[in-house]
Amino acid sequence: LPAGLSQWFPALEVLDVSGTGLTEMGTELLSLPCLHTLLAKNNRLGGPGSLPKGLEQAPLARSLRVLNLSGNRFSEVPPVVLQLRGLRSLSLGGNRLHGIPPDIQELHSLEFLYLGGNFITAIPPELAKLPSLRYLVLCDNKIQSIPPQLAQLHSLRSLSLHNNLLTYLPREILNLVQLDELSLRGNPLVVRFVRDLTYNPPSLQELAGRTIKTRNVPYTPSDLPESLVRYLSLASNCPNPKCGGVYFDSCVRQIKFVDFCGKYRLPLMHYLCSPECSSPFSSASQSSTSQSESDSEDEASVAAHRMQKVLLG
């Protein structure tokens, strides 16, 4: 940074030095008492001395609200950054981070945290101790699980987890009552979910067979070829009690979690005659063959209501 910066611009509030090839930022920063936004994206910061010593004691530590260090070479969150207690927005995306330090919990004023595009494998439970956090971006990492403690982030509105290694989500995520955007595309759980729910349209033969069965069209073995009579005998009833349909080869597979012995929730496969029967807002969700299934569907309806936007693909 140029010498004398504080003398030329003593009331500077916003400083953008992005894309300038910086390898370190000098002590001139320490004498900018009014600076509230520092943008240093796409540089070569990350080595020893990248940030000035004494930053945590400088006026800047109290005035800075927005810090963007994305697109640099940091292998860890700089410890000095965790001393900037007034930060509301912190961006460290596109670096070389392998973890999130537990001391992240010290940034009590943080509302926006961007850590996408790193090599993070785990989320520390301490992250849940950020009472003001509204936007959390952890996409494009190597995260395998979500700690249930994240349900304590009661202010969270948006959670971006796409392109990770997630195979499941904790049930506690339903407690995020303010959450209205959840991005999950590019995770094994979504890839498997989409693959399992792929629906192949019924053939003309199946459509005809469904019509005969649902409308109780009378026939005798002498009316049809033996192969068609045998085919019609293979009809399966749709489990949706308000549907009354049948299927032969074309069906929708749906996972439903059902309480078992009051202790476990087992994933059971259901075979439905059409995609309409799988919607949580269809008639299928309004009835159930057991109280446990009804409770499960109520949870699905609550989840759908709370999470207004779920980005799967």
Side-chain angles (χ1 to χ4, degrees), residues 83-101:
Q83 301 298 317
L84 305 177
R85 304 298 168 80
L87 275 185
R88 295 177 184 171
S89 175
L90 173 61
S91 299
L92 276 161
N95 277 275
R96 301 170 182 177
L97 306 180
H98 285 79
I100 304 173

Side-chain angles (χ1 to χ4, degrees), residues 70-128:
S70 292
N72 280 283
R73 302 177 180 180
F74 290 100
S75 58
E76 62 177 11
V77 178
V80 67
V81 169
L82 302 175
Q83 301 298 317
L84 305 177
R85 304 298 168 80
L87 275 185
R88 295 177 184 171
S89 175
L90 173 61
S91 299
L92 276 161
N95 277 275
R96 301 170 182 177
L97 306 180
H98 285 79
I100 304 173
D103 286 347
I104 194 80
Q105 64 182 312
E106 302 299 331
L107 301 179
H108 296 294
S109 300
L110 205 61
E111 299 177 6
F112 178 90
L113 178 59
Y114 189 102
L115 298 175
N118 283 286
F119 303 96
I120 298 170
T121 58
I123 302 174
E126 289 81 3
L127 189 63

Side-chain angles (χ1 to χ4, degrees), residues 173-204:
I173 199 169
L174 293 177
N175 294 328
L176 295 174
V177 296
Q178 299 297 326
L179 194 67
D180 59 21
E181 182 169 304
L182 174 63
S183 179
L184 294 170
R185 65 184 184 274
N187 281 282
L189 74 89
V190 174
V191 173
R192 184 173 63 248
F193 173 82
V194 172
R195 184 183 66 240
D196 288 348
L197 293 189
T198 298
Y199 178 62
N200 295 318
S203 64
L204 291 178

Side-chain angles (χ1 to χ4, degrees), residues 23 46 58 254 284 298 310:
T23 58
Q254 182 186 55
D298 288 343
V310 180

Side-chain angles (χ1 to χ4, degrees), residues 2-260:
L5 182 63
S6 59
Q7 297 176 1
W8 299 335
F9 307 103
L12 189 67
E13 296 183 354
V14 179
L15 177 62
D16 188 350
V17 291
S18 301
T20 56
L22 282 178
T23 58
E24 62 180 48
M25 289 188 284
T27 55
E28 288 298 318
L29 278 178
L30 305 182
S31 51
L32 294 173
C34 300
L35 191 69
H36 60 70
T37 299
L38 174 57
L39 309 177
K41 303 179 294 181
N42 304 324
N43 284 298
R44 292 181 289 172
L45 301 169
S50 292
L51 301 180
K53 292 181 178 180
L55 181 59
E56 65 276 13
Q57 282 91 30
L60 183 62
R62 295 185 295 274
S63 66
L64 200 61
R65 297 291 180 265
V66 178
L67 176 61
N68 192 325
L69 297 172
S70 292
N72 280 283
R73 302 177 180 180
F74 290 100
S75 58
E76 62 177 11
V77 178
V80 67
V81 169
L82 302 175
Q83 301 298 317
L84 305 177
R85 304 298 168 80
L87 275 185
R88 295 177 184 171
S89 175
L90 173 61
S91 299
L92 276 161
N95 277 275
R96 301 170 182 177
L97 306 180
H98 285 79
I100 304 173
D103 286 347
I104 194 80
Q105 64 182 312
E106 302 299 331
L107 301 179
H108 296 294
S109 300
L110 205 61
E111 299 177 6
F112 178 90
L113 178 59
Y114 189 102
L115 298 175
N118 283 286
F119 303 96
I120 298 170
T121 58
I123 302 174
E126 289 81 3
L127 189 63
K129 297 180 180 180
L130 297 176
S132 303
L133 195 64
R134 294 165 59 86
Y135 300 92
L136 176 58
V137 182
L138 296 168
C139 60
D140 299 291
N141 279 286
K142 299 181 181 299
I143 299 169
Q144 300 183 39
S145 63
I146 303 299
Q149 288 86 349
L150 284 196
Q152 300 170 21
L153 292 173
H154 299 301
S155 299
L156 198 64
R157 300 293 302 273
S158 177
L159 177 57
S160 296
L161 294 167
H162 52 272
N163 298 331
N164 276 285
L165 301 175
L166 297 172
T167 56
Y168 70 96
L169 293 178
R171 288 183 60 196
E172 288 81 0
I173 199 169
L174 293 177
N175 294 328
L176 295 174
V177 296
Q178 299 297 326
L179 194 67
D180 59 21
E181 182 169 304
L182 174 63
S183 179
L184 294 170
R185 65 184 184 274
N187 281 282
L189 74 89
V190 174
V191 173
R192 184 173 63 248
F193 173 82
V194 172
R195 184 183 66 240
D196 288 348
L197 293 189
T198 298
Y199 178 62
N200 295 318
S203 64
L204 291 178
Q205 176 176 287
E206 174 150 350
L207 288 174
R210 290 186 179 195
T211 301
I212 291 172
K213 286 294 186 178
T214 56
R215 297 188 179 183
N216 295 316
V217 177
Y219 66 91
T220 64
S222 60
D223 296 330
L224 300 172
E226 181 181 352
S227 60
L228 291 182
V229 174
R230 185 167 55 252
Y231 178 77
L232 289 171
S233 69
L234 299 176
S236 299
N237 293 323
C238 181
N240 179 359
K242 290 193 175 183
C243 172
V246 299
Y247 63 88
F248 293 87
D249 303 311
S250 179
C251 62
V252 174
R253 293 183 293 174
Q254 182 186 55
I255 299 292
K256 179 180 290 187
F257 287 84
V258 178
D259 289 339
F260 179 70

